[in-house]
Amino acid sequence: MVCLCFLLHMNFERDQLLVEKETLQEKCGIAAVYSLQPNKDQLRVVIIAGSGVQHRGQNGTGIAMMTEKGIFAHRRQGLIRDVFPNEFVEEHTQATRWAMIHCRYGTNGGYDNENLQPITAKAQYGTEIAVSHNGQIVAINELAQARGLEITEGASDTTILTQILAAQEGSDWDEKVVNLVRQVKGSFSLVIGIDDDMYVIRDPMGIRPLFISQNDSNWLVASETHVFDKVGVNHVRPILRGEILKLTPSGPQILQEGHEGQGNFCDFEWSYVSRPNSNMPDNGNDSENWLSFSTFRERCGATLASEAPVEADLVIGIPDSGVAAGVGYANESGIPYHQLILRDHYDREGDGRTFMTDSDPSNIKRRVFGKLSFVQDPSTWQGKRVIIVDDSIVRSNTSDVINKILHNLGVSEIHWRVAFPEIPHTCHLGVSMRGEEELIAAQLGSDEQEIAAKIGATSVHYISHSGFIRARTGKMVTPENPREIFLVNGGCGGCVTGIYPVSKEGLIYDSREPEFSAKQ
């Protein structure tokens, strides 16, 4: 593999906020580079790294980098390749201590430039700070109001956090950062740049991912391990739950020790959000025991074949995140797998993920026709019994369109097998599930027969809670309260059970106080 020090010398071709009704939520991708000595190629490297998390956010992107003149930031709507073309890179290449890039997936609309990250601000005495955030901080308005800060209507949680940090009391920035992190609640993986230092932080529950690797005098931080593969870096380790790591010109310092173990890592990350070729530690942090998301999804498919067998002629996985689950189903069932539904990567809609195009959910169905293409061979479809395997059915916009197309092609039976359990609850920890009126499981009481009728399928079966967990861990802790099944097995499945590791009000879930589970 090519080392980062080589890539740092390679040629790379190629604040008022929008007013909204609710605080913005975010589920995004972060990448950052830090060097002991200012380096002219950081911008090029961080753009390469950022492309490895582009799938996590496609509404807009931005960079911030520390130059000899201070922080330079640039944020725009669009994909990385559009926002940072070759001309931009050539014009803005300069010696920098650190550089960070952020791909935003905003979940309440409002994708104007003012809402994009990294968020920058000036603190007391003119100190500049830059913040990149993946996740969602809860009860952030109350925290700001308690400090007497004026909040702009519609300000994102990241913007409010940055404002709080800029006004934070403390003898130095280490104290300010540590004190702030200990007060905020929710899901957050953070990269914060202040002067020549960079702080790398993960919330105590580990709800969102964050990793780091060192190569010589350079450090690379990213939301997923795929990024490190892209730039040829080995020896990756996760930022531990609750860890606060400071990168400085004299080397790294751990300001707060982290905790081993999964904590409450988002189970929807396992099923959908993360790239199939990224890895995640599930049983300890030894990289030899890490599990790829692709392998996990394949196990889910095999579990579905055991839980809900059906006679059929062929199995198809929906690109991209449903393909591995489809292969797993086919291998376990013995029914042939055929990739007869393809993703059109050259169509503008093929670049995106339909779940993330929810600034206008009514257009999602239209986008399916741009993203997916069907093999047009009548003999392949006519009279066939087809098993469709997908990562999830959340709103049913995509599945409804696919079924109509298959019926028009002459398919006789359509059986959906879904590799994530039914979702009847919203998420306040970073996934775009804004209201239960959008969720088909909430509308139909998680009744699989009614869901099948609604989307025009012969049958629908979601993977069981226990089957999903066993696919990940190979074992399972059975709680006294069945709704705690994800929490006690190192995950967060609040969108499935209605029980979250932390409430909207910032209260930590305690099984001894079950009434907390009713708080959304």
Side-chain angles (χ1 to χ4, degrees):
M1 300 180 80
V2 184
C3 68
L4 178 59
C5 55
F6 172 79
L7 280 168
L8 286 170
H9 298 285
M10 70 178 288
N11 290 324
F12 181 54
E13 293 294 328
R14 343 207 224 207
D15 264 6
Q16 304 294 17
L17 295 187
L18 181 71
V19 175
E20 296 180 1
K21 292 183 180 178
E22 299 181 35
T23 300
L24 298 174
Q25 304 174 39
E26 310 201 3
K27 187 171 186 68
C28 313
I30 299 171
V33 180
Y34 186 92
S35 299
L36 293 184
Q37 297 296 327
N39 192 295
K40 284 189 175 181
D41 288 304
Q42 279 196 351
L43 177 58
R44 301 172 189 271
V45 172
V46 84
I47 289 174
I48 296 173
S51 66
V53 292
Q54 181 74 87
H55 61 286
R56 298 182 67 87
Q58 296 156 358
N59 303 130
T61 186
I63 57 111
M65 53 189 188
M66 176 55 71
T67 73
E68 61 180 12
K69 296 180 180 179
I71 293 178
F72 170 79
H74 180 75
R75 299 173 287 264
R76 291 288 184 273
Q77 293 184 46
L79 301 177
I80 289 174
R81 64 169 181 252
D82 301 320
V83 177
F84 304 113
N86 294 342
E87 297 78 11
F88 177 92
V89 176
E90 294 298 329
E91 181 181 353
H92 295 282
T93 293
Q94 55 189 302
T96 56
R97 172 74 69 184
W98 52 258
M100 65 178 75
I101 191 167
H102 184 274
C103 303
R104 179 171 181 267
Y105 159 41
T107 61
N108 266 348
Y111 303 129
D112 285 2
N113 297 346
E114 292 86 351
N115 291 321
L116 300 176
Q117 297 185 40
I119 302 295
T120 56
K122 280 195 175 182
Q124 192 177 20
Y125 307 119
T127 301
E128 295 178 294
I129 62 178
V131 177
S132 288
H133 169 218
N134 172 28
Q136 171 145 20
I137 299 168
V138 299
I140 189 71
N141 285 22
E142 291 76 7
L143 186 60
Q145 290 165 357
R147 295 162 183 253
L149 295 178
E150 194 170 319
I151 303 171
T152 303
E153 186 178 2
S156 72
D157 54 342
T158 311
T159 300
I160 298 170
L161 178 74
T162 306
Q163 292 171 345
I164 294 174
L165 179 58
Q168 183 80 2
E169 297 291 334
S171 59
D172 56 25
W173 280 107
D174 289 0
E175 182 180 336
K176 293 177 182 181
V177 169
V178 171
N179 287 343
L180 176 63
V181 171
R182 288 176 179 175
Q183 293 175 56
V184 297
K185 299 291 189 296
S187 64
F188 52 91
S189 289
L190 293 165
V191 174
I192 300 174
I194 304 175
D195 292 330
D196 276 348
D197 302 326
M198 176 182 284
Y199 298 86
V200 185
I201 302 160
R202 194 165 173 228
D203 74 74
M205 297 178 186
I207 299 172
R208 298 289 156 226
L210 198 61
F211 298 85
I212 189 169
S213 181
Q214 179 187 0
N215 189 281
D216 295 333
S217 59
N218 308 294
W219 281 263
L220 181 66
V221 179
S223 296
E224 292 191 28
T225 62
H226 167 68
V227 171
F228 303 93
D229 296 333
K230 283 183 70 67
V231 299
V233 176
N234 290 310
H235 310 299
V236 179
R237 79 162 179 90
I239 297 297
L240 300 181
R241 300 185 292 114
E243 182 178 358
I244 302 177
L245 175 67
K246 180 185 179 184
L247 300 176
T248 78
S250 58
Q253 303 173 18
I254 295 179
L255 302 184
Q256 180 171 287
E257 296 282 351
H259 310 288
E260 296 283 346
Q262 279 294 92
N264 295 114
F265 183 67
C266 172
D267 279 301
F268 201 62
E269 288 265 3
W270 282 105
S271 179
Y272 172 78
V273 178
S274 296
R275 281 181 61 98
N277 58 335
S278 284
N279 293 348
M280 189 70 192
D282 189 57
N283 294 300
N285 292 313
D286 182 353
S287 60
E288 293 183 359
N289 296 321
W290 289 13
L291 179 66
S292 75
F293 292 96
S294 178
T295 297
F296 164 74
R297 292 164 189 169
E298 191 168 328
R299 291 178 184 175
C300 285
T303 299
L304 282 165
S306 299
E307 291 185 346
V310 63
E311 291 187 4
D313 301 300
L314 55 96
V315 178
I316 303 171
I318 299 297
D320 284 324
S321 46
V323 171
V327 170
Y329 192 103
N331 289 343
E332 181 68 19
S333 67
I335 300 171
Y337 183 88
H338 296 274
Q339 196 61 58
L340 300 174
I341 302 176
L342 309 175
R343 182 167 177 173
D344 190 344
H345 292 276
Y346 298 99
D347 188 287
R348 177 166 290 275
E349 301 298 348
D351 282 338
R353 309 180 81 176
T354 50
F355 182 81
M356 292 187 175
T357 56
D358 66 344
S359 54
D360 184 0
S362 64
N363 282 331
I364 291 179
K365 292 186 178 183
R366 175 186 59 79
R367 293 187 178 101
V368 173
F369 290 98
K371 177 180 177 179
L372 299 180
S373 299
F374 293 68
V375 174
Q376 298 293 322
D377 184 345
S379 63
T380 299
W381 301 105
Q382 195 68 39
K384 292 296 182 8
R385 301 164 299 174
V386 176
I387 297 172
I388 301 292
V389 185
D390 204 0
D391 58 84
S392 59
I393 297 180
V394 181
R395 303 185 186 103
S396 81
N397 294 315
T398 302
S399 53
D400 177 65
V401 174
I402 290 172
N403 287 337
K404 287 175 179 171
I405 295 172
L406 291 178
H407 282 303
N408 288 335
L409 289 169
V411 169
S412 63
E413 296 180 11
I414 307 172
H415 301 276
W416 281 75
R417 297 298 179 260
V418 189
F420 191 78
E422 62 278 17
I423 299 175
H425 302 281
T426 58
C427 175
H428 58 264
L429 295 173
V431 180
S432 177
M433 301 170 189
R434 295 168 295 194
E436 292 187 359
E437 69 279 358
E438 291 186 2
L439 308 176
I440 191 169
Q443 297 169 12
L444 302 177
S446 298
D447 187 300
E448 292 179 340
Q449 290 186 335
E450 290 194 27
I451 292 172
K454 175 80 171 178
I455 67 174
T458 309
S459 72
V460 169
H461 180 80
Y462 293 84
I463 193 170
S464 67
H465 300 179
S466 59
F468 183 89
I469 291 167
R470 290 183 187 279
R472 175 166 59 79
T473 66
K475 56 186 178 181
M476 190 183 69
V477 176
T478 303
E480 184 175 338
N481 179 355
R483 296 176 67 201
E484 295 176 356
I485 189 169
F486 293 95
L487 294 184
V488 302
N489 284 282
C492 175
C495 59
V496 178
T497 63
I499 295 183
Y500 310 83
V502 58
S503 74
K504 283 184 177 180
E505 298 79 18
L507 301 175
I508 305 303
Y509 181 78
D510 187 339
S511 61
R512 295 168 297 181
E513 299 180 15
E515 67 273 11
F516 169 72
S517 64
K519 294 182 179 179
Q520 301 293 310

